[in-house]
Amino acid sequence: AYEIVSRDWSSDVCSSDLTYATPDTHMAATYAGIGRNTPSGWIVDDESKKAGLVHMALRKGAKVIDANKAFDLAEKKFKYYSETLPKRYVASRGDKGADPLVLDKLQAYARIYKDPGRAAALEGYDAISSTSELDGAGIYVILNRGALVVEQ
């Protein structure tokens, strides 16, 4: 089971309210800002856990993408919608000229796909996985909360 907390990652990964997940209870509690700091270290007692941590798992068959691959996907899709597709469209119009509304729409798609979280979600991924640089624990950004099985 993983400990999860909600956080607004608008400046980090995606502009929507996402869910962060890690199997490390202390990391989750620190991230959520719950628990108590004592001389012997950070303590997450039962009362602190009730304040914002829940156990969950990704459902069987959930589509997960590695964080590095999500960034690569976003870069590829951004380039396609900001450069490749507009050039093809303009060339296909010939003497008729390009419709500015179509070009604006392509640029809107490019802006959306520039964000790795949005790109992964639009491509049907349920979560982005990564590894903590601090302790090597697996962490997840949940893109589709419907892909979670949450302990009651």
Side-chain angles (χ1 to χ4, degrees), residues 4 54-58 145 147-152:
I4 62 169
V54 295
H55 290 271
M56 66 88 190
L58 285 166
R145 290 184 181 156
L148 295 176
V149 178
V150 180
E151 181 181 74
Q152 295 291 342

Side-chain angles (χ1 to χ4, degrees), residues 1-40:
Y2 288 84
E3 304 284 352
I4 62 169
V5 292
S6 292
R7 175 182 175 214
D8 178 3
W9 279 48
S10 57
S11 63
D12 298 340
V13 175
C14 186
S15 64
S16 62
D17 183 23
L18 299 176
T19 301
Y20 167 86
T22 178
D24 184 331
T25 301
H26 291 341
M27 181 186 287
T30 302
Y31 183 84
I34 61 175
R36 294 179 288 127
N37 195 7
T38 68
S40 59

Side-chain angles (χ1 to χ4, degrees), residues 73-90 102-115:
L73 171 69
E75 186 178 319
K76 177 182 168 186
K77 290 290 190 171
F78 174 75
K79 185 174 181 177
Y80 178 73
Y81 281 105
S82 66
E83 297 173 19
T84 306
L85 202 53
K87 286 178 186 175
R88 286 183 189 167
Y89 170 69
V90 169
V102 172
L103 292 174
D104 285 347
K105 188 172 185 176
L106 294 174
Q107 288 304 310
Y109 279 112
R111 285 190 300 276
I112 292 168
Y113 270 107
K114 190 174 186 178
D115 182 300

